[in-house]
Amino acid sequence: MARYEDLPYRTCVGVMLINTKGLVFIGRRAGGIEHVDDSHVWQMPQGGVDPGEDTWDAAKRELYEETSVRSVERLGEVPDWLIYDIPRTVAGRAWKGRYRGQRQKWFAVRFTGKDSEINVEKPGGGGHKAEFVSWRWEPMKNLTGLIIPFKRPVYERVVKEFSALADE
């Protein structure tokens, strides 16, 4: 097994889904070995980029696969790749021990549909495993306190980049 320091980062995308009131979608994770307590189990949709896939296309695909949402308009993109490391204590078990963390491209999108479009129990038309067990709209300023601590610097940057999009 490779040393932690030598492991690569998994290429991913993240999506901040903002409703017309300026609130952000967050989902309560269905589980995962990286979650160490019940107060930091909320996150925005995110997921891997397939080989050769455009990051914007990956963001739309991941959003649909996790929430069933397709009714969006693109608002912005964080210009940099944002990186986080997972704790060494779970690195060997997460992603089959192949990665030390993620490098993410983040997008902000406006949700133009109705809440009834959101389905986290049978996302993507029922063809995808549920990532979330529940969801809610949350003020953007609260996001960093709800995410697992090792992802907090990424969320701080995303909130800073997209804060002008919230109507708080």
Side-chain angles (χ1 to χ4, degrees), residues 57-109:
D57 291 337
K60 292 183 292 184
R61 176 184 53 75
E62 283 293 335
L63 181 64
Y64 178 69
E65 289 177 0
E66 294 186 7
T67 68
S68 297
V69 168
R70 286 198 166 133
S71 302
V72 297
E73 67 180 39
R74 184 174 172 170
L75 298 175
E77 174 182 342
V78 175
D80 303 315
W81 286 91
L82 306 182
I83 296 173
Y84 72 81
D85 292 332
I86 57 173
R88 290 173 183 264
T89 55
V90 297
R93 295 176 286 158
W95 308 302
K96 300 178 183 174
R98 296 183 307 207
Y99 304 102
R100 69 181 283 178
Q102 295 191 9
R103 67 189 282 268
Q104 300 177 320
K105 180 59 76 169
W106 277 88
F107 296 90
V109 297

Side-chain angles (χ1 to χ4, degrees), residues 71-168:
S71 302
V72 297
E73 67 180 39
R74 184 174 172 170
L75 298 175
E77 174 182 342
V78 175
D80 303 315
W81 286 91
L82 306 182
I83 296 173
Y84 72 81
D85 292 332
I86 57 173
R88 290 173 183 264
T89 55
V90 297
R93 295 176 286 158
W95 308 302
K96 300 178 183 174
R98 296 183 307 207
Y99 304 102
R100 69 181 283 178
Q102 295 191 9
R103 67 189 282 268
Q104 300 177 320
K105 180 59 76 169
W106 277 88
F107 296 90
V109 297
R110 177 76 63 207
F111 181 48
T112 59
K114 295 184 186 307
D115 283 4
S116 59
E117 180 178 346
I118 300 170
N119 184 345
V120 298
E121 293 173 7
K122 294 181 180 175
H128 297 278
K129 179 182 165 219
E131 297 278 336
F132 302 122
V133 294
S134 61
W135 69 275
R136 69 180 190 235
W137 295 111
E138 187 71 30
M140 192 183 298
K141 66 184 179 192
N142 296 348
L143 298 179
T144 58
L146 298 169
I147 189 66
I148 192 140
F150 66 84
K151 293 182 183 180
R152 190 165 294 139
V154 167
Y155 270 51
E156 288 170 347
R157 175 72 187 278
V158 171
V159 167
K160 180 181 176 186
E161 292 283 339
F162 298 145
S163 63
L165 302 174
D167 297 330
E168 302 180 272

Side-chain angles (χ1 to χ4, degrees), residues 32-51:
I33 59 171
E34 74 275 12
H35 291 282
V36 294
D37 65 60
D38 284 339
S39 61
H40 298 101
V41 294
W42 296 91
Q43 73 175 42
M44 293 180 280
Q46 65 176 56
V49 177
D50 293 336

Side-chain angles (χ1 to χ4, degrees), residues 1-3 7 91-93 96-97:
M1 185 167 157
R3 291 181 337 130
L7 292 172
R93 295 176 286 158
K96 300 178 183 174

